[in-house]
Amino acid sequence: MDRPVEPGHFSACEARLDKHMAGLCSVDFPVAVVLPAGGSGERTGLLTPKQFCTFLNRPLISYTIQTFERVPWIQSIVVVVAKESLDLMMDIIHRFHHRNVLVVHGGSTRHRSIFNGVRALSEGEDGTARVKPKVVIIHDAVRPFVEEDFLLKITMAAKEQGAAGAIRPLVSTVIATTLEGYLDHSLERTKYRASEMPQGFIYDVIYQAYQRCSESDFEFGTECLHLALQYCGTNAKLIEGPPTLWKVTYKRDLAAAESIVKETLSQSACVVTGGSAQATELANALQRSMSALDMEVDVISDLIGDNAKSLSKEWNFIQLSVNSSCFSEVGRILGALEEADRALLHPVVIIWVYLNVSEDGSSASEPTGGEPAAMMELATGAKLGNILVYGIQLHHSKEATLWGRSVEKVAQMSCALIRDRSPALTGQLLQA
Ligand SMILES: Nc1ccn([C@@H]2O[C@H](COP(=O)(O)OP(=O)(O)OP(=O)(O)O)[C@@H](O)[C@H]2O)c(=O)n1
Ligand SMILES: O=P(O)(O)OC[C@@H](O)[C@@H](O)[C@@H](O)CO
C-alpha cells in the first residue's frame, strides 16, 4: 500500500519545482529518486536488515534519505520496503522529520522492488495517475554517501542519453570457473568496470523496460542498465564515480559507514570563553594545540548575536569556565541546541572545561562533591536529546612548562572525545 507521508506531498513537490523554474537550480525538469530498501541483508549476518541497522543513534536508511533531501532539484523520494518493515519505515520518517517521502511495498527481488517504486511515481495504488518525473534516479538505500554533483552528472546524462550509470574500477580480477571448481579463464581487468549506483533513467525508458521485463530477469537480474538496453534499446552512458559510492553489504561496512560519519562531524569545534581574560588565554592556547591535531577551532566569547550562527553549523562546542563550577553556560548551549532541534540527525558534543585558578597560584582546591554529581545529572538529561556532554578539569599553573603540558592534555582529550563521540564517557569530569 502506498503511504504518502506528508499531506500536500505533491504541492510541496510543485513548490520545489517552482524553485527550479526560478533558475535557482541547473535542473529545469522534474526528478525523483527510488531507494530500494526491501532486502533482508543476509550477508551482514545480522537479524536486522542492514538498511535499518543504526549507528550514532540513527538507521542507515535515514542517512541516505537525508542525502537526497538536501538536493533541491529532487522533488520526490520513494522508499521501497518489505511489508513487514512498513511501520518501522514510517516511524523512522516521523522520528527524523524526513519530508516528501513516499513509502511503497517491496518485492521478492531487488528488480521487483525497484519496479514497485518506479510505478508508484506515475500511479497510485488505486490506479490514480500521478505527475511522473522526467528523470528517475535509482539508488540502493544502503549507499549513504553520494554527492549532489555526481547525482547531477548522472541525471543530466540520463536526460540526454536515456540512461546513465555509475561505474568504478574493479578491485579484484574477475575469473570464470569450471563446474569442477577450477579456473576456466580470467577477464582482462582493464576492460571491465564495477556497476554501482546511482543510476538515472528517462522515466518512460525504465518504466517500459520493467513492463517488458522477463520473469527470469525479475527473478535473477541485478542490473537496471541491462534492462534499459535489452528491453528499450537504450544504451546507458557510463560515468566513473568517486570511491564513496560503495554499498553496505557486510557487517564491517556498517562500522566503516559510522566511522565516515563521525569523521565528517569531527572536523572543527567552537570554543566559548565567556569573555574572561584567563578563559580567552586558555582558548587561544587550545586553538593552537588542537589545530596541530587537525581540528579547526573557532574562539568566541558567547553564543549570542552573530555568534549564534555557530549553533546551526557546528557539531562540537567547548565551554570554558574559570573558577566556576556553575553549569549555566553549558545549560545555555544545551537550551539553544534543543530549541534549534540541532541534534536531531547527528549527536552534538559539548565539552565543559573547568579551569581552577587559585589566587596564590597554588594547586587549586579539588572540586567539591557537587560538581561530579551535578555534571552527571546534566549529561544524563542531555543524552536523551542526542547531546553528549563531557567534563575536563584542569588546574592553572604559573610554571610555563607544566601549564603547556596541561593545555596539550586538554587539547588531546577534547579531540578524542569529539572524534569518538562515545556515550559511555558522558557526565564524567576527566582530569587533565
Ligand atoms: N527484494 C529486495 C532485495 C534487495 N533490495 C534492496 O536493494 C539494495 C541492494 O541490494 P543488496 O545489497 O543485495 O541488499 P540485500 O538483498 O538486502 O542483501 P543480501 O543479498 O545480503 O540479503 C538494498 O538496499 C536492498 O534493501 C530490495 O529493495 N528488495
Ligand atoms: O547485487 P546486489 O543485490 O548485492 O546489489 C545490487 C548491485 O548489484 C547493484 O546495486 C549494482 O551492481 C548496480 O546495478
Side-chain angles (χ1 to χ4, degrees), residues 101 107 138 260 284 305 389:
V101 176
I138 298 172
I260 288 170
N284 293 333
V389 178

Side-chain angles (χ1 to χ4, degrees), residues 43 110 140 143 195-197 199 222-224 247:
R43 285 170 286 181
R110 180 167 165 270
D140 296 325
R143 295 174 188 261
S195 174
E196 305 291 352
M197 289 282 183
Q199 295 178 345
T222 62
E223 186 48 74
C224 301
K247 177 166 69 77

Side-chain angles (χ1 to χ4, degrees), residues 35-44 50-51 80 106-111 113-114 140-142 247-249:
L35 302 177
S40 57
E42 285 172 19
R43 285 170 286 181
T44 61
K50 57 193 177 185
Q51 59 271 32
V80 190
S108 59
T109 66
R110 180 167 165 270
H111 272 325
S113 291
I114 294 172
D140 296 325
V142 292
K247 177 166 69 77
V248 170
T249 302

Side-chain angles (χ1 to χ4, degrees), residues 369-428:
E371 288 83 6
M375 177 86 199
M376 184 56 77
E377 185 182 349
L378 180 87
T380 302
K383 193 154 69 171
L384 296 175
N386 209 19
I387 299 173
L388 305 169
V389 178
Y390 306 98
I392 299 175
Q393 178 178 24
L394 81 160
H395 305 289
H396 187 269
S397 167
K398 292 193 171 180
E399 204 287 315
T401 306
L402 197 55
W403 173 242
R405 280 198 206 118
S406 295
V407 171
E408 184 58 29
K409 188 69 178 162
V410 172
Q412 291 168 358
M413 292 163 78
S414 298
C415 287
L417 290 170
I418 287 169
R419 285 168 178 152
D420 189 45
R421 279 176 152 73
S422 167
L425 287 178
T426 55
Q428 299 298 326

Side-chain angles (χ1 to χ4, degrees), residues 191-205:
K191 290 184 177 176
Y192 295 86
R193 291 290 182 276
S195 174
E196 305 291 352
M197 289 282 183
Q199 295 178 345
F201 303 86
I202 289 289
Y203 181 82
D204 293 338
V205 168

